[in-house]
Amino acid sequence: MENKLWEAWELFKDNNCIALLAKLGSVKFLTQKFLKIWHAENIKFYVKNNVLKKVSAKNFDAVKFLKGEAPISYLSACVAANKQVEDDFLISVVKSAKKINELGCVVWCLGKLGKDTLLYNLLNELDFIEEKLPIEIWEPEFYGLA
């Protein structure tokens, strides 16, 4: 099944094939294909993230490259694998957030990683960091902007 879904994805670029692999595929198969899945532009991010969580929980070494390439995704992998992260790295990721969703994800990861003290120490800085981020509005009519 895995090979057939992979072949179908390579031929048709249908996200449903990868979504099924993320749900039903073996960690071994997903680990072998992880780099291609992660770097594919046409796979929806939530599907990539499902593969990331599954692979990192069982084979963390396969996702370590994300620390430099995609630090926020690396933190998600650390949560899935219950791996600890250095405070200096966490602070740098908090300060590098470019969107409110990224900042929210990082804060969530800090909580899941048990970094309560670090979160408490960052509280004053979070307001300053958030103020620099662009406003993101999904429901402009709610905010009177439509």
Side-chain angles (χ1 to χ4, degrees), residues 99-132:
K99 297 178 182 177
I100 195 69
N101 282 352
E102 290 178 358
L103 182 60
C105 181
V106 173
V107 169
W108 178 84
C109 288
L110 290 171
K112 294 299 279 183
L113 292 168
K115 296 291 187 173
D116 301 346
T117 303
L118 180 60
L119 269 172
Y120 182 75
N121 292 337
L122 285 171
L123 277 178
N124 291 332
E125 288 186 64
L126 286 177
D127 286 338
F128 177 72
I129 293 167
E130 188 176 353
E131 286 174 7
K132 295 189 309 182

Side-chain angles (χ1 to χ4, degrees), residues 37-86:
I37 292 169
W38 189 258
H39 290 119
E41 293 181 19
N42 62 330
I43 297 175
K44 294 181 180 183
F45 185 75
Y46 79 91
V47 175
K48 289 181 181 185
N49 202 41
N50 287 341
V51 174
L52 169 69
K53 289 187 279 187
K54 192 169 186 176
V55 169
S56 60
K58 300 290 183 187
N59 188 353
F60 190 74
D61 287 341
V63 301
K64 282 183 176 179
F65 73 95
L66 292 172
K67 187 173 185 179
E69 187 176 305
I72 296 171
S73 295
Y74 176 77
L75 291 182
S76 293
C78 289
V79 169
N82 199 25
K83 298 283 184 188
Q84 286 303 307
V85 183
E86 316 83 39

Side-chain angles (χ1 to χ4, degrees), residues 98-101 129-140 143 145:
K98 304 223 180 327
K99 297 178 182 177
I100 195 69
N101 282 352
I129 293 167
E130 188 176 353
E131 286 174 7
K132 295 189 309 182
L133 299 176
I135 296 174
E136 295 180 62
I137 299 172
W138 295 277
E139 298 173 331
Y143 296 95
L145 301 173

Side-chain angles (χ1 to χ4, degrees), residues 1-3 5-6 9 15-39 43 46-63 65:
M1 173 200 72
E2 292 169 329
N3 288 323
L5 284 169
W6 185 257
W9 176 75
N15 270 290
N16 292 317
C17 296
I18 299 296
L20 275 172
L21 281 169
K23 187 174 184 175
L24 304 173
S26 68
V27 173
K28 181 180 178 183
F29 185 86
L30 293 172
T31 299
Q32 291 170 347
K33 303 296 186 184
F34 184 75
L35 281 173
K36 189 159 188 170
I37 292 169
W38 189 258
H39 290 119
I43 297 175
Y46 79 91
V47 175
K48 289 181 181 185
N49 202 41
N50 287 341
V51 174
L52 169 69
K53 289 187 279 187
K54 192 169 186 176
V55 169
S56 60
K58 300 290 183 187
N59 188 353
F60 190 74
D61 287 341
V63 301
F65 73 95

